[in-house]
Amino acid sequence: MKKAIFGGGCFWCTEAVFKSLKGVEEVLPGYIGGKNANPTYEQVCTGETGHAEAVEITYNEYEVSYTELLEIFFATHNPTTLNRQGEDVGTQYRSEIFYLDEGQKQAAIEYIGILNDEKVFDQPIVTQVSQASTFYVAEDYHKNYFERKGTENPYCQMVVKPKVEKFKKNYASKLKE
């Protein structure tokens, strides 16, 4: 099993997307890239800890490649807005790839270069590519949040659900059965 860590805005959205992908064994929401050890959600939400909301993905590289994970990552969030995803604003919502080895770093840089060269987005990509630091798993109530609270939480209904539905429509062949 391999791991990948992506920050693409609210981790409820990112977790919900990657959990349904073939080859993904586990997706954990958490915090990375900040200065405080063991940050809490409340601390990260202030934007003062420097952490990003992110997901740690455990995947089977024989079923899904790192490049395919990058494809899904860039297709399911806006990598052109600095410290913002929709109405979520702050450094904790930044677009960032946290690489675990040189292969991931090079793959991320090359993939961003291709997207920029092909002008896939109207604006330049602002996604940062950074070496992974300690990943702190989020509090239990964030795990499987959309799965558990998606029908009752207004944010999930307005933001997470449409994103997950679009992903499932556009990547039907890559979904778990």
Side-chain angles (χ1 to χ4, degrees):
M1 291 293 156
K2 295 268 193 169
K3 291 190 185 271
I5 303 173
F6 299 134
C10 172
F11 51 31
W12 298 342
C13 295
T14 315
E15 178 195 45
V17 165
F18 281 103
K19 280 186 63 124
S20 60
L21 187 62
K22 264 186 225 174
V24 171
E25 299 297 318
E26 182 178 41
V27 182
L28 293 172
Y31 318 108
I32 189 170
K35 58 188 179 205
N36 302 18
N38 302 306
T40 65
Y41 181 67
E42 289 74 22
Q43 291 169 333
V44 171
C45 283
T46 68
E48 295 176 13
T49 68
H51 291 88
E53 285 193 19
V55 292
E56 180 186 72
I57 302 163
T58 303
Y59 67 100
N60 182 335
E61 67 182 317
Y62 300 107
E63 293 183 53
V64 62
S65 70
Y66 187 73
T67 301
E68 288 174 303
L69 295 177
L70 289 170
E71 175 188 352
I72 301 301
F73 173 69
F74 282 104
T76 55
H77 83 293
N78 184 346
T80 68
T81 54
L82 188 62
N83 300 326
R84 176 185 204 122
Q85 287 299 305
E87 298 303 313
D88 294 331
V89 179
T91 57
Q92 67 271 28
Y93 300 115
R94 66 188 179 266
S95 176
E96 190 161 2
I97 297 166
F98 298 91
Y99 63 87
L100 297 164
D101 59 39
E102 284 301 309
Q104 287 185 351
K105 177 183 178 181
Q106 288 308 311
I109 290 169
E110 288 172 17
Y111 200 85
I112 291 169
I114 290 167
L115 294 175
N116 278 328
D117 289 348
E118 294 180 359
K119 299 193 182 322
V120 172
F121 298 97
D122 292 338
Q123 300 292 319
I125 292 172
V126 297
T127 303
Q128 298 173 57
V129 178
S130 306
Q131 185 170 14
S133 57
T134 303
F135 181 85
Y136 298 98
V137 176
E139 297 83 349
D140 284 345
Y141 68 91
H142 291 294
K143 295 175 186 169
N144 304 310
Y145 194 86
F146 178 66
E147 201 174 284
R148 293 181 304 101
K149 302 285 187 177
T151 57
E152 62 193 59
N153 181 299
Y155 180 88
C156 287
Q157 287 297 304
M158 294 183 330
V159 178
V160 184
K161 184 178 178 184
K163 189 177 283 197
V164 171
E165 287 175 351
K166 180 181 176 186
F167 164 71
K168 288 182 175 183
K169 180 183 173 196
N170 292 339
Y171 291 92
S173 66
K174 295 182 185 248
L175 298 177
K176 292 178 181 173
E177 296 176 8

